[in-house]
Amino acid sequence: LHYCWYPRLSVLINAFPNLEVISYNSGYNSTPFGLPEHDELRRNNIAFQAHKQWSSLTSLTVDELGMYMLGLQTEVDSVILPSQLTYRDDEDWSWLNMSLQSLRPRHLRLTCSGETSGLPQALGLGMERLDRLDLEVYIRDDSISEDVTVSFMPHTLALPHSVPCLHLKDGLY
């Protein structure tokens, strides 16, 4: 699904009941979280899944707004957020926390920059099944601080168990 602004799971699940892989881009260049229509779509998608879900879904590649709007309530083995996540404050990470609680992936891959101190808390819930975490963090040269660097050490991610394949990469831009 590319550039589908309002993905309704009632249509998609009925049309493709045995879907295993979703690749979805909402089509927004900048994420307009907080719009009433996105919240309503998420609520409707979650409500529909009380009656019917994808039982074969194993992989989800999605942008952040798409992940929020889909509101998937089923476990998925692999979740990939291909675009770089950039935030101004900790509150911006709440959508990730809400999404990961129901997806509970075995593999999670994401890239982020900007204010990242809220990321460890966002990753803390829904990580019970996590076997692999690929995390790439870009920090601006003028914003490097010991606190930011330390916050991404594995022991501060608050994962419920040790992750055998943890890839941490930092970069400067």
Side-chain angles (χ1 to χ4, degrees):
L1 300 170
H2 289 280
Y3 308 113
C4 174
W5 288 359
Y6 298 103
R8 283 188 263 137
L9 290 184
S10 58
V11 173
L12 295 171
I13 291 174
N14 284 320
F16 307 102
N18 299 316
L19 195 67
E20 295 179 5
V21 176
I22 295 177
S23 179
Y24 172 56
N25 183 329
S26 67
Y28 287 96
N29 290 334
S30 61
T31 307
F33 278 102
L35 294 179
E37 56 266 29
H38 297 154
D39 295 334
E40 180 181 355
L41 178 61
R42 179 180 171 80
R43 282 191 303 273
N44 290 341
N45 282 342
I46 289 172
F48 176 78
Q49 292 173 88
H51 308 287
K52 193 171 187 180
Q53 295 184 4
W54 278 305
S55 59
S56 305
L57 190 61
T58 60
S59 179
L60 174 65
T61 301
V62 64
D63 64 2
E64 56 202 298
L65 181 61
M67 187 176 192
Y68 176 77
M69 289 190 304
L70 285 171
L72 290 172
Q73 299 297 298
T74 186
E75 291 181 357
V76 177
D77 286 340
S78 177
V79 174
I80 299 169
L81 292 141
S83 57
Q84 184 171 317
L85 309 177
T86 304
Y87 295 115
R88 296 173 309 283
D89 58 48
D90 292 348
E91 293 299 314
D92 288 339
W93 291 103
S94 62
W95 69 272
L96 182 62
N97 185 295
M98 287 187 293
S99 298
L100 291 176
Q101 286 183 51
S102 56
L103 293 172
R104 299 180 60 234
R106 291 189 184 282
H107 172 224
L108 175 63
R109 183 173 73 194
L110 59 97
T111 302
C112 59
S113 66
E115 177 54 56
T116 55
S117 61
L119 182 58
Q121 182 179 352
L123 293 177
L125 297 173
M127 298 291 100
E128 298 87 11
R129 295 179 349 125
L130 194 67
D131 292 331
R132 179 178 176 153
L133 173 62
D134 294 321
L135 176 60
E136 196 165 333
V137 180
Y138 289 92
I139 304 170
R140 293 178 55 108
D141 280 331
D142 58 354
S143 67
I144 294 176
S145 75
E146 189 174 319
D147 292 340
V148 172
T149 304
V150 171
S151 72
F152 285 98
M153 298 310 291
H155 67 279
T156 61
L157 284 176
L159 298 174
H161 61 282
S162 63
V163 178
C165 195
L166 177 65
H167 298 265
L168 296 176
K169 179 180 178 183
D170 63 354
L172 302 176
Y173 67 94

mmCIF file of all heavy atoms in Angstrom, residues 9 35-50 68-71 73:
data_model
loop_
_atom_site.group_PDB
_atom_site.id
_atom_site.type_symbol
_atom_site.label_atom_id
_atom_site.label_comp_id
_atom_site.label_asym_id
_atom_site.label_seq_id
_atom_site.Cartn_x
_atom_site.Cartn_y
_atom_site.Cartn_z
ATOM 1 N N LEU A 9 -9.020 -1.223 7.912
ATOM 2 C CA LEU A 9 -8.767 -2.651 8.055
ATOM 3 C C LEU A 9 -9.997 -3.485 7.747
ATOM 4 O O LEU A 9 -9.868 -4.630 7.322
ATOM 5 C CB LEU A 9 -8.239 -2.970 9.458
ATOM 6 C CG LEU A 9 -6.825 -2.473 9.747
ATOM 7 C CD1 LEU A 9 -6.375 -2.939 11.118
ATOM 8 C CD2 LEU A 9 -5.837 -2.915 8.682
ATOM 9 N N LEU A 35 -4.378 14.687 14.423
ATOM 10 C CA LEU A 35 -5.547 15.067 13.641
ATOM 11 C C LEU A 35 -6.709 14.153 14.018
ATOM 12 O O LEU A 35 -6.536 12.933 14.125
ATOM 13 C CB LEU A 35 -5.261 14.969 12.142
ATOM 14 C CG LEU A 35 -4.226 15.946 11.586
ATOM 15 C CD1 LEU A 35 -4.025 15.706 10.099
ATOM 16 C CD2 LEU A 35 -4.654 17.384 11.838
ATOM 17 N N PRO A 36 -7.900 14.691 14.211
ATOM 18 C CA PRO A 36 -9.050 13.877 14.635
ATOM 19 C C PRO A 36 -9.344 12.710 13.702
ATOM 20 O O PRO A 36 -9.702 11.623 14.158
ATOM 21 C CB PRO A 36 -10.205 14.877 14.662
ATOM 22 C CG PRO A 36 -9.575 16.214 14.777
ATOM 23 C CD PRO A 36 -8.235 16.113 14.110
ATOM 24 N N GLU A 37 -9.174 12.889 12.395
ATOM 25 C CA GLU A 37 -9.473 11.799 11.466
ATOM 26 C C GLU A 37 -8.504 10.633 11.606
ATOM 27 O O GLU A 37 -8.888 9.480 11.401
ATOM 28 C CB GLU A 37 -9.537 12.284 10.011
ATOM 29 C CG GLU A 37 -8.295 12.992 9.521
ATOM 30 C CD GLU A 37 -8.359 14.507 9.658
ATOM 31 O OE1 GLU A 37 -9.028 15.023 10.559
ATOM 32 O OE2 GLU A 37 -7.707 15.167 8.844
ATOM 33 N N HIS A 38 -7.268 10.883 12.000
ATOM 34 C CA HIS A 38 -6.309 9.796 12.224
ATOM 35 C C HIS A 38 -6.668 9.022 13.493
ATOM 36 O O HIS A 38 -6.600 7.794 13.521
ATOM 37 C CB HIS A 38 -4.887 10.334 12.313
ATOM 38 C CG HIS A 38 -4.426 10.983 11.045
ATOM 39 N ND1 HIS A 38 -3.471 11.955 11.021
ATOM 40 C CD2 HIS A 38 -4.816 10.809 9.761
ATOM 41 C CE1 HIS A 38 -3.269 12.340 9.783
ATOM 42 N NE2 HIS A 38 -4.079 11.668 8.995
ATOM 43 N N ASP A 39 -7.031 9.754 14.539
ATOM 44 C CA ASP A 39 -7.442 9.101 15.788
ATOM 45 C C ASP A 39 -8.710 8.277 15.583
ATOM 46 O O ASP A 39 -8.817 7.158 16.092
ATOM 47 C CB ASP A 39 -7.662 10.139 16.887
ATOM 48 C CG ASP A 39 -6.378 10.862 17.275
ATOM 49 O OD1 ASP A 39 -5.280 10.280 17.091
ATOM 50 O OD2 ASP A 39 -6.464 11.996 17.759
ATOM 51 N N GLU A 40 -9.656 8.810 14.823
ATOM 52 C CA GLU A 40 -10.907 8.089 14.564
ATOM 53 C C GLU A 40 -10.647 6.826 13.746
ATOM 54 O O GLU A 40 -11.197 5.759 14.037
ATOM 55 C CB GLU A 40 -11.894 8.994 13.836
ATOM 56 C CG GLU A 40 -13.215 8.303 13.540
ATOM 57 C CD GLU A 40 -14.198 9.193 12.793
ATOM 58 O OE1 GLU A 40 -13.905 10.387 12.569
ATOM 59 O OE2 GLU A 40 -15.268 8.676 12.434
ATOM 60 N N LEU A 41 -9.802 6.934 12.728
ATOM 61 C CA LEU A 41 -9.461 5.762 11.917
ATOM 62 C C LEU A 41 -8.797 4.701 12.779
ATOM 63 O O LEU A 41 -9.131 3.517 12.687
ATOM 64 C CB LEU A 41 -8.549 6.157 10.756
ATOM 65 C CG LEU A 41 -8.081 5.018 9.857
ATOM 66 C CD1 LEU A 41 -9.269 4.318 9.186
ATOM 67 C CD2 LEU A 41 -7.110 5.529 8.817
ATOM 68 N N ARG A 42 -7.875 5.087 13.630
ATOM 69 C CA ARG A 42 -7.216 4.134 14.533
ATOM 70 C C ARG A 42 -8.245 3.437 15.422
ATOM 71 O O ARG A 42 -8.231 2.221 15.561
ATOM 72 C CB ARG A 42 -6.160 4.842 15.380
ATOM 73 C CG ARG A 42 -5.463 3.898 16.361
ATOM 74 C CD ARG A 42 -4.404 4.634 17.186
ATOM 75 N NE ARG A 42 -3.883 3.805 18.244
ATOM 76 C CZ ARG A 42 -2.972 2.865 18.100
ATOM 77 N NH1 ARG A 42 -2.458 2.626 16.912
ATOM 78 N NH2 ARG A 42 -2.560 2.152 19.131
ATOM 79 N N ARG A 43 -9.150 4.205 16.022
ATOM 80 C CA ARG A 43 -10.190 3.612 16.887
ATOM 81 C C ARG A 43 -11.060 2.629 16.107
ATOM 82 O O ARG A 43 -11.361 1.535 16.590
ATOM 83 C CB ARG A 43 -11.061 4.703 17.508
ATOM 84 C CG ARG A 43 -10.427 5.412 18.683
ATOM 85 C CD ARG A 43 -11.421 6.303 19.427
ATOM 86 N NE ARG A 43 -12.038 7.306 18.563
ATOM 87 C CZ ARG A 43 -11.518 8.504 18.301
ATOM 88 N NH1 ARG A 43 -10.366 8.841 18.829
ATOM 89 N NH2 ARG A 43 -12.160 9.347 17.520
ATOM 90 N N ASN A 44 -11.461 2.993 14.889
ATOM 91 C CA ASN A 44 -12.292 2.111 14.061
ATOM 92 C C ASN A 44 -11.537 0.839 13.678
ATOM 93 O O ASN A 44 -12.105 -0.259 13.687
ATOM 94 C CB ASN A 44 -12.778 2.833 12.802
ATOM 95 C CG ASN A 44 -13.809 3.898 13.113
ATOM 96 O OD1 ASN A 44 -14.436 3.899 14.168
ATOM 97 N ND2 ASN A 44 -13.972 4.842 12.198
ATOM 98 N N ASN A 45 -10.260 0.969 13.319
ATOM 99 C CA ASN A 45 -9.455 -0.198 12.965
ATOM 100 C C ASN A 45 -9.277 -1.134 14.162
ATOM 101 O O ASN A 45 -9.368 -2.355 14.029
ATOM 102 C CB ASN A 45 -8.085 0.235 12.426
ATOM 103 C CG ASN A 45 -8.155 0.701 10.985
ATOM 104 O OD1 ASN A 45 -9.107 0.415 10.258
ATOM 105 N ND2 ASN A 45 -7.144 1.447 10.560
ATOM 106 N N ILE A 46 -9.057 -0.572 15.333
ATOM 107 C CA ILE A 46 -8.915 -1.400 16.540
ATOM 108 C C ILE A 46 -10.229 -2.101 16.860
ATOM 109 O O ILE A 46 -10.243 -3.297 17.170
ATOM 110 C CB ILE A 46 -8.420 -0.543 17.727
ATOM 111 C CG1 ILE A 46 -6.953 -0.151 17.502
ATOM 112 C CG2 ILE A 46 -8.585 -1.279 19.053
ATOM 113 C CD1 ILE A 46 -6.409 0.848 18.503
ATOM 114 N N ALA A 47 -11.337 -1.395 16.766
ATOM 115 C CA ALA A 47 -12.656 -1.983 17.051
ATOM 116 C C ALA A 47 -12.967 -3.122 16.091
ATOM 117 O O ALA A 47 -13.483 -4.170 16.500
ATOM 118 C CB ALA A 47 -13.735 -0.903 16.978
ATOM 119 N N PHE A 48 -12.655 -2.965 14.810
ATOM 120 C CA PHE A 48 -12.928 -4.025 13.830
ATOM 121 C C PHE A 48 -12.158 -5.296 14.171
ATOM 122 O O PHE A 48 -12.663 -6.409 14.009
ATOM 123 C CB PHE A 48 -12.569 -3.561 12.409
ATOM 124 C CG PHE A 48 -12.751 -4.645 11.388
ATOM 125 C CD1 PHE A 48 -14.025 -4.962 10.933
ATOM 126 C CD2 PHE A 48 -11.678 -5.374 10.920
ATOM 127 C CE1 PHE A 48 -14.207 -5.987 10.014
ATOM 128 C CE2 PHE A 48 -11.844 -6.394 10.002
ATOM 129 C CZ PHE A 48 -13.121 -6.704 9.541
ATOM 130 N N GLN A 49 -10.948 -5.156 14.666
ATOM 131 C CA GLN A 49 -10.111 -6.313 14.948
ATOM 132 C C GLN A 49 -10.601 -7.137 16.136
ATOM 133 O O GLN A 49 -10.128 -8.254 16.354
ATOM 134 C CB GLN A 49 -8.664 -5.870 15.170
ATOM 135 C CG GLN A 49 -8.030 -5.351 13.892
ATOM 136 C CD GLN A 49 -6.677 -4.768 14.157
ATOM 137 O OE1 GLN A 49 -5.673 -5.497 14.143
ATOM 138 N NE2 GLN A 49 -6.624 -3.479 14.406
ATOM 139 N N ALA A 50 -11.565 -6.640 16.867
ATOM 140 C CA ALA A 50 -12.174 -7.449 17.928
ATOM 141 C C ALA A 50 -12.967 -8.598 17.309
ATOM 142 O O ALA A 50 -13.199 -9.618 17.957
ATOM 143 C CB ALA A 50 -13.081 -6.577 18.793
ATOM 144 N N TYR A 68 0.539 4.008 13.309
ATOM 145 C CA TYR A 68 -0.450 4.517 14.259
ATOM 146 C C TYR A 68 -1.873 4.321 13.728
ATOM 147 O O TYR A 68 -2.744 3.803 14.423
ATOM 148 C CB TYR A 68 -0.179 5.995 14.543
ATOM 149 C CG TYR A 68 -1.221 6.619 15.439
ATOM 150 C CD1 TYR A 68 -1.206 6.382 16.807
ATOM 151 C CD2 TYR A 68 -2.236 7.420 14.922
ATOM 152 C CE1 TYR A 68 -2.171 6.943 17.640
ATOM 153 C CE2 TYR A 68 -3.197 7.983 15.745
ATOM 154 C CZ TYR A 68 -3.162 7.734 17.099
ATOM 155 O OH TYR A 68 -4.121 8.272 17.914
ATOM 156 N N MET A 69 -2.122 4.721 12.479
ATOM 157 C CA MET A 69 -3.482 4.636 11.931
ATOM 158 C C MET A 69 -3.965 3.195 11.774
ATOM 159 O O MET A 69 -5.131 2.913 12.015
ATOM 160 C CB MET A 69 -3.564 5.361 10.580
ATOM 161 C CG MET A 69 -3.482 6.861 10.681
ATOM 162 S SD MET A 69 -3.859 7.730 9.131
ATOM 163 C CE MET A 69 -2.714 7.024 7.962
ATOM 164 N N LEU A 70 -3.077 2.282 11.363
ATOM 165 C CA LEU A 70 -3.487 0.885 11.207
ATOM 166 C C LEU A 70 -3.990 0.313 12.532
ATOM 167 O O LEU A 70 -4.939 -0.445 12.557
ATOM 168 C CB LEU A 70 -2.338 0.028 10.679
ATOM 169 C CG LEU A 70 -2.009 0.178 9.196
ATOM 170 C CD1 LEU A 70 -0.723 -0.553 8.860
ATOM 171 C CD2 LEU A 70 -3.157 -0.321 8.330
ATOM 172 N N GLY A 71 -3.325 0.640 13.618
ATOM 173 C CA GLY A 71 -3.760 0.172 14.931
ATOM 174 C C GLY A 71 -3.797 -1.343 15.039
ATOM 175 O O GLY A 71 -4.671 -1.904 15.694
ATOM 176 N N GLN A 73 -3.635 -5.053 16.068
ATOM 177 C CA GLN A 73 -3.764 -5.648 17.394
ATOM 178 C C GLN A 73 -3.323 -7.106 17.403
ATOM 179 O O GLN A 73 -3.741 -7.879 18.246
ATOM 180 C CB GLN A 73 -5.224 -5.551 17.862
ATOM 181 C CG GLN A 73 -5.738 -4.130 17.972
ATOM 182 C CD GLN A 73 -4.973 -3.344 19.010
ATOM 183 O OE1 GLN A 73 -4.991 -3.688 20.181
ATOM 184 N NE2 GLN A 73 -4.293 -2.289 18.597
#
